[in-house]
Amino acid sequence: MRKFTIFLAFLFFVGLQGVFAQTRVVSGTVTSSEDKAPIPGVTIVVKSTTIGTTTNVDGKYVLSVPTKYNILIFSYVGMKTKEVTLGESNTLDVVLDPDIMNMDEIVVTAIGIPRETKALSYSVQEVGSEDIQKAARTDIVNSLTGKAADVQVISSSGMAGGASYLQIRGVQSITGNNQPLFVVDGVPIAGSETGGANPNVAQGQGVDGVGFSNRAVDLNPDDIESVNILKGGAATALYGLRAASGAVVITTKKGKATTGKKIAVNFGSYVQFDQVSRLPARQQEFGQGSGGNWISGNKFSWGPKLDTCRMSKTNTDGGDWANYQWKDFDVDGRIVGQSDPNAQGSVTTYDPYDFFQTGVTTNNTLALSGGSDVANFYFSFSDNQQKGIVPNNKFRRNTFKLSGETKLSDHFKISGSANYIITAGDRIQQGSNTSGVMLGLLRTPPTFNNAAGYQFSSNYTLPDGTLLSDWQNFQLSGGDPTATGLSGDQRGYRHGIYYDNPYWTANMNKYHDQVNRLIGAAQVDYYATKWLNFTYRIGIDWYDRKINDDLAIGSSTQPTGWAKRGHELSKIFNSDLIMTIDKDFAKDFNIKFILGQNMSENYFSSLNAQANGIVIPEYYNLNNTANISAQEQTTNYRRAGIYGDATLSWKSMLYLTVTGRNDWTTTLAEGHNSFFYPSVGLGWIFTQLPGLKDNKVLPYGKVRISYAILAKDAPPYNTKTYFVAPGVLDGWTTGLTWPFEGNNGFTLNDLAGNEKLKPEKTKSLETGIDLKFIQNRIGLSYTFFRNEGTDLIMPVPIAASTGFTSVELNAASILTWGHEITLDVIPIKSKNWEWDITVNFAKINNKVEALAPGINRLFLGGFTGSEIDAVVGQPYRTIYGYDWKKDENGNVLIGDDGYPIMSDNESALGNVDPDWTMGIGSNLRWQDLSLYFLIDIKVGGKMWDGTRGALDYFGTSAGTLNRGDSVVFSGIVESTGQANTQKVALTQDWYQGVGSGFVGCTAPYIEDAGWVRLRTLTLSYDFTRLLHKTFIKGLTVYFTGTNLVLISNYKGIDPETNLLGSDNAQGVDYFNMPGTRSYTVGLTLAL
Amino acid sequence: MKNIKFKLIGVLILVALVVGSCKKWINTDINTSPDSPIDVPMSSLLPAVEANLAYNTIGGNDYTRVTTQWIQQFMGIARQSQGESNYIWHDGDVDNVWNTTYAFSMTDLKTLISKSTDDPTYRGIADVLLADALGHTTDIWGDIPYSQAFQGVNNLSPSFDTQDTVYNYIYKLLDEAIAKLASTTTVVRGDLIYNGDPALWLKAANAMKARYLLHLSKQDPGSYAKALAALSGCLASNADNMQLVFLNQQGSQNPLYQFMNQRGDIAMHQVFMDTLKGRGPDPRMYVYASPGADTSDLYQGAGWGSTGENASPPGPAVASPAAPVYFITYAECLFIKTECEFATGVAESQVKADLVAAVGASMDQFGVYDATYMTFYDAAIQQPYVTGPVLFHEIMMQKWIALYNQGEAYVDWRRTENAIGLSPNPNPATGSKPGIPRRFPYSLGEKSYNSNTPTDVDIWQRVWWDKAPK
């Protein structure tokens, strides 16, 4: 009802349109002072009104100006903005001066307020549409890699539709969301992975199952005009608690006044080919088996050396091959010794990586736009289709966007946009999941041919002659994974369904999800007087996601088959009412004052039903099962805020900004749910000092400092203690499920609610200097920041005798500080040649200062024995696991058997986050030919290579080729205190004991995950000049390569990976899907 | 100008609407999860508590499977179970049973008690269950938090009550239960044990009282007479057994069945199997154990150090999907009676008659009552040498056999100072002290977060009632 009232008020405004004031018609030409040429596309606005137009191709304009206004503002990119007061004459020709300093650069800041860069007391980095386009990535998040300092993007994998993790300036929260707020045209949207309506909850995908998308993938990058990254506390202060982890402010393309032409058509198209970039090295010299013997169906590759072996197609007892028990598995025959009387040819080996295919993405966007001086529109349609590197991995996105703007009168402007998106993914089982593709693939011995068929053909008939389907056969076998030779059964290297054959996973196990999403916004601007205006903006982001998760009968994780149906609904509502006062109140003083009110609501609900025991094979429907369970979940919270921002400037030299915001939230109890937080910032453009003004060497220099306090509310529903469905579990078995014996049951939750919870607080200090040298040819910006988060909310373990095992408390604190440097250099700028270089450098440090009293370590994610933890005194995301036992001097202790000893206790083994990161982007243009590249450097940061750890155990890794070698482990013999000199063999026992990361020591599998990579290389040719005389207004053809070069010491797949997707726990590689290298050919066409 | 006024009025209306709605907008009532209730009826609390007690405490894989390994009914043959039989049992290993008993069962029982002021049946049931949960907890951990426990954040470090104090709480609860249950005939819903019948619960309350009085026999020789007195009005047949029956369907199966199905790792202990075999075999052997892999000797136990390839796994009586978990049985009541009579000087002929009845009740409980066998057994114990300590030994041997896979048998072993004559594991884990462990260590979680937790405790120490012989 409330929303409806607001809507009525909105209509009321619309009804007010009409009656234009008395006007005069002004016309003229705008030219450049540089070459005296007319400038098309100059924006001309009557000051303090919505009235405006643009110049046509000849630089001419005509504009109706109400008689009571007499100032026109002329602005154009790269030119200094000029205000001209109208005289008696109705003709006004204007000459614009080039703005080499870019002093009037405008960026979009919090609440969608455009501000001059020079007035800011904090750093904001903008990524423009061209940069986004050059990256040619489906997901806008991926396009931001390396484009701004301290913006870290981690793709979980190269899978079509895979998630990416985005983090700005490190972490601020312990267990809450550390990803930024996504704002599109002033409207906050769900950006993180599923469950996006609740940005307080980091929704990881878990260590198994399939990889999800983050919901920012729904945005069409081609619709984006610019992305502004708000990093620090002062930058996001006006957004309040929602943007405690920074904000990604996206401005989409708008229609432009197109004088003399009706509609502008823009078409963009590309096709992209993806290949697996890196895969773990495998050994191809030793066969399936154990102890040096070939054993059919054995899980290990610790069999014989293959060059001493031969193939045989004679049964073990010398009999007919047709009677051989495992002939359907060992399709090439048995492996026998070379002296075996039945030996035939040499042993065939297989490369399981043949499984991967070349992925193909096609992307097409058509945009139509146009307008006049009173109205404009923009419409686009896009289609993105991806076929992944794993068979049957698909992703598709269609977007429709319509936006428009109308000036209803001199004082009113109304605008709106609607974005409808359909996104669908066919996802593949991955990770620590016996149906996971990489798990089955990488453990397969080199002598087993996965591709010889993943399923046995049906040939079983009942006595009455009925031919059974494969699945019925399987059912008859009772689903016994050790049953052999059954038709319809899965054909895997272990003669059963211990792990799924990767071809089975890709073909039989289907996970499909589809998102329908509507992002809509409407805005009214009212210019009340020359210095006062109001904006009211209302936005919604609504999506539903349907999930079909099907596992075929005979799959290892669900041998009886499985069907899951899920439905999620997410709604975000947001409204802002903003009043702006912009007034010169004395000769050198200007004050800009903003007062705003914000209301938002987030709602998320999900309904999941799952069933195992599929009755009719390959028919996936909940009705086709006998054992259904279902769960529902709802999250709903609201926030409101009142905020103010005052910027006082003096002589365009000193800018003082003070903001304050008071938020109210429903997620905290009354009395704790209202909180105020201020920020203050000062910018001093010291080059405006009389002695320095207009000097040639350093035309622009600014020092800035800001301080802000930010707060973040609690996740919803943590103030109360609830009764929950009891999990009767003993740690050994799967326990009891409810309803139990026809009774529903409840138990008081082990997690106690806490009505005394208060907001998390972050104190954010930022200071920096911006310098521009030699006519803007060199720009250098340095920022230091320090964020201290306190009162961070976490579930704190407590003694069970209290009746609970944990309670939500404001307990933890974390300190993050860092340095950011941005360097822009334009070595060459001439008519034919242009070369620019941008370097972004960031070094972040962080330290968990405290968790709860008595708590030293908090599990963030991963596996026991190789966890990603927050550890007091260590950086956030510390890998915790088992190291070698060491003496006080750090020497590894060696046992009397000559092998190193594993420590009994887990310890910190490294920090996941990098020491520093750098992006070097460069654009070189010669006439119409451009070459762009982006080098992405990440130094430091560890990753747990759990894949290698497991493969050493199974004997398929290249590392185990040294099997049988004798080595002397360096260290001190524990019993003697002497240096170890004993030579010992690297045996199967060693690799299946403490020597493998699978069951043994974690430390040897913690690897440096740094890299240097050629992230993007784009070669483009702009045909526009050649086509000048035609109807084509622009044509660019380009080739882009992504990840063409990757240099890394990491021994596994592309180290830009994370098993848990976009989750706080990063740095986990356990049979992760590999990354990709891509080649893209595309064009953009404007008509 | 009129136009401007209209617009200004419009703006003001809008501001008023938006700001005015702000207060209503922030309605903290919406911060109540729609998915989880704040309050639930007693009929929903009770089944969860009963199932949890049965699955995790009374018949649980931490409590019962470990203690019955120590008294050599089962043998751990692989992984952690092997360690348990070798007396490896650390603070971290008991977190689950400690946490589920405190933060789940006992907390919910406290809630149930506070909700049942006007409902004698629910109150009586909750009292009995809480008394039994407390009994199990103190019997395995000695001093435990109770009087200051269950207060949430209001007391993060509850003090530990001494065991004699805890026993007084147990008696108080049972006395209250007996009074409440005797006063009502109202049948309540949600009871998985007795279908809410207060008459049956009254019998169980009396039986429990007898059991927990008997536990103090080392500290107070008067316990026997008190326990004997408490037996009046206790369980009268196997139909009265206080037990929770599981079902043969996914998610409703017996805990030991699930353990054997999902983990394996234990087999019948050679000491226990040899005892059963040496007694005829005792007909219960065929339900206590399942046939092993060795076709020449299908029923055999795993010896010390064995990995049990040929050993019999636990049988259908305790490890089938629907096998019940016993809280207290008719047979146990008869054994309490027998022992108390013996201890209080009742004529041995009467004691022997009661022993035969107790053994018969146990066989009947497992559906293998064998009249012929019982005739032989009766004759055997009528032998004149079966008297005094020999008779006492036989009573306790039979109770050990009857209370198969029940934690109470471990109480008896300690209380009677090893009357059945078990020898400890000859090759226990490095660092073990001599003898069979006599208690559990305090849980790691409690030690970490409750500063009142005693720290100088190992599993060879005795709890208060387990007084060392002079």
Side-chain angles (χ1 to χ4, degrees), chain A residues 884-905:
Chain A
W884 299 118
K885 195 172 178 184
K886 289 177 180 166
D887 65 12
E888 315 79 77
N889 302 322
N891 298 305
V892 174
L893 292 173
I894 308 290
D896 291 337
D897 59 1
Y899 291 97
I901 306 167
M902 191 170 117
S903 169
D904 292 332
N905 300 310

Side-chain angles (χ1 to χ4, degrees), chain A residues 396-506:
Chain A
R396 183 165 186 178
R397 178 185 65 209
N398 289 115
T399 67
F400 305 83
K401 180 175 168 66
L402 179 62
S403 67
E405 175 177 291
T406 307
K407 289 154 190 171
L408 300 172
S409 77
D410 302 354
H411 299 279
F412 270 109
K413 188 169 83 179
I414 177 167
S415 55
S417 71
N419 205 341
Y420 180 62
I421 302 131
I422 308 164
T423 310
D426 287 309
R427 302 170 196 275
I428 304 291
Q429 299 288 326
Q430 63 171 27
S432 174
N433 163 1
T434 48
S435 285
V437 156
M438 290 292 273
L439 196 129
L441 194 70
L442 294 175
R443 292 182 183 187
T444 303
T447 46
F448 187 85
N449 183 3
N450 275 326
Y454 55 83
Q455 182 186 348
F456 295 115
S457 60
S458 171
N459 56 5
Y460 193 93
T461 44
L462 289 177
D464 66 359
T466 314
L467 186 70
L468 290 181
S469 76
D470 303 339
W471 301 111
Q472 286 165 316
N473 283 330
F474 184 81
Q475 295 281 62
L476 285 180
S477 79
D480 178 2
T482 57
T484 57
L486 279 157
S487 55
D489 203 347
Q490 196 183 136
R491 185 182 166 276
Y493 87 87
R494 295 202 54 195
H495 296 181
I497 55 170
Y498 299 96
Y499 318 123
D500 285 343
N501 185 318
Y503 291 89
W504 172 285
T505 294

Side-chain angles (χ1 to χ4, degrees), chain A residues 634 670 730 732-733 741 747 801, chain B residues 28 35 55 62 108 245 446:
Chain A
T634 306
E670 263 168 76
D730 62 4
W732 303 97
T733 61
E741 303 191 351
T747 178
S801 60
Chain B
T28 50
D35 303 314
Y55 202 89
D62 291 316
D108 287 354
V245 180
E446 194 72 21

Side-chain angles (χ1 to χ4, degrees), chain A residues 322-341:
Chain A
N323 297 328
Y324 176 61
Q325 193 179 9
W326 310 114
K327 66 177 189 312
D328 295 326
F329 294 92
D330 305 325
V331 289
D332 298 312
R334 297 186 299 120
I335 294 173
V336 297
Q338 51 196 346
S339 55
D340 189 285

Side-chain angles (χ1 to χ4, degrees), chain B residues 293-346:
Chain B
D294 181 357
T295 45
S296 67
D297 187 8
L298 288 171
Y299 290 90
Q300 55 173 296
W304 294 116
S306 156
T307 48
E309 281 84 0
N310 292 321
S312 300
V318 292
S320 59
V325 160
Y326 298 105
F327 285 69
I328 195 162
T329 59
Y330 175 54
E332 185 182 336
C333 290
L334 292 178
F335 277 109
I336 294 171
K337 184 169 179 236
T338 310
E339 186 188 344
C340 290
E341 285 174 348
F342 177 85
T344 52
V346 172

